[in-house]
Amino acid sequence: MTAQQAQRKPVAENAMKMVSETITPERARTLLQLNVVNRRFRPQWAKVLKQRMERGEWKLTHQGIAIGSDGTLKDGQHRLLAVAMYGRPVQMTVF
């Protein structure tokens, strides 16, 4: 076995999955209802993100939204609120 082969680990069947998804304002509001444990909400940051969307500066990146195996929102509350305020669909990475 080579050193490279030894470093490879099999992926568990319950491994994290990532997809690119079009998040509509309605879907954003639904996902925000699943936000039960997250960091302190900063309305000004959501506004900044919305303004970036309005100017066409929003890009699909590795920073998206994360939904836990229990169905709760783990990351992305500001991005989702920005989509809801923007009122138009936005492409996001969903974990």
Side-chain angles (χ1 to χ4, degrees):
M1 178 182 297
T2 67
Q4 186 179 17
Q5 289 170 325
Q7 289 178 343
R8 291 184 189 155
K9 296 180 182 175
V11 177
E13 286 190 27
N14 63 350
M16 180 178 8
K17 293 177 178 60
M18 176 186 76
V19 297
S20 175
E21 182 178 328
T22 301
I23 303 294
T24 63
E26 297 78 21
R27 174 97 167 113
R29 285 189 283 276
T30 298
L31 290 169
L32 282 168
Q33 292 176 355
L34 306 173
N35 186 24
V36 294
V37 180
N38 215 318
R39 70 178 76 176
R40 182 178 58 86
F41 181 69
R42 298 177 307 172
Q44 187 61 31
W45 182 239
K47 183 179 177 183
V48 167
L49 295 176
K50 177 188 110 88
Q51 290 169 341
R52 289 180 183 172
M53 292 172 188
E54 290 171 336
R55 292 190 302 259
E57 298 171 357
W58 185 260
K59 305 290 182 217
L60 180 64
T61 71
H62 67 286
Q63 293 182 316
I65 58 173
I67 302 168
S69 59
D70 61 355
T72 60
L73 182 66
K74 301 296 184 185
D75 190 18
Q77 65 180 1
H78 294 95
R79 293 177 206 101
L80 290 170
L81 183 59
V83 172
M85 293 185 324
Y86 180 46
R88 300 175 75 185
V90 173
Q91 199 70 21
M92 287 195 186
T93 304
V94 180
F95 297 90

